[in-house]
Amino acid sequence: MQTVPSFLRRFAVILAVGALTASCGHSLPGLPGFNSEAWRADAYGCQSQRAAQLPVLEKHRNELYGARVNDVTRLLGHPDEEELGEQSDKVYIYYVTTGLQCAPGHPRTARGRVLLRSGATGTITEVILPVLQAQ
């Protein structure tokens, strides 16, 4: 009787886990009314163009939950900041209004930020949108 070498068994397990992980989450279609180009062009929210997009994000908030991180970054662009949380959580931060982050060196600020938390499976598990005061 011939046995399967242990490295082949490990490879098969890694391949199966990878396939399961890749199938987690759902794709994120374009959000009707959301101007992805304007959002992406407003790095750090320094032109305050992103603030106009918040009502659309709020309207489609539930579609963001469970979406794959790659799809979200395709829609919103690379985050202005990224934090590592507990375990393998990541927090993606997008600024939406002009603030301290617009100064040279982009110092951090806690105001006017969209936070998207992703879990170990690479899907969005939490969406935090700022409440902006009417001006």
Side-chain angles (χ1 to χ4, degrees), residues 13-77:
V13 168
I14 291 170
L15 189 61
V17 169
L20 287 173
T21 302
S23 65
C24 292
H26 64 79
S27 63
L28 182 65
L31 304 178
F34 185 78
N35 187 338
S36 183
E37 289 180 23
W39 181 278
R40 291 162 148 273
D42 190 12
Y44 290 90
C46 294
Q47 298 170 3
S48 294
Q49 298 296 310
R50 291 178 175 175
Q53 303 295 319
L54 283 179
V56 179
L57 282 181
E58 180 65 45
K59 181 179 178 182
H60 298 287
R61 173 186 226 134
N62 288 336
E63 294 174 45
L64 294 172
Y65 287 108
R68 292 186 291 260
V69 170
N70 290 343
D71 291 337
V72 171
T73 55
R74 202 171 297 120
L75 178 72
L76 302 178

Side-chain angles (χ1 to χ4, degrees), residues 42-46 80-81 95 99-109:
D42 190 12
Y44 290 90
C46 294
D80 297 324
E81 294 179 6
Y95 290 100
L100 291 175
Q101 77 279 1
C102 297
H106 303 291
R108 298 175 63 102
T109 182

Side-chain angles (χ1 to χ4, degrees), residues 83-91 117-120 125:
E83 295 177 354
L84 294 176
E86 296 178 16
Q87 308 284 321
S88 57
D89 290 1
K90 287 186 181 176
V91 178
R117 183 178 309 275
S118 71
T125 59

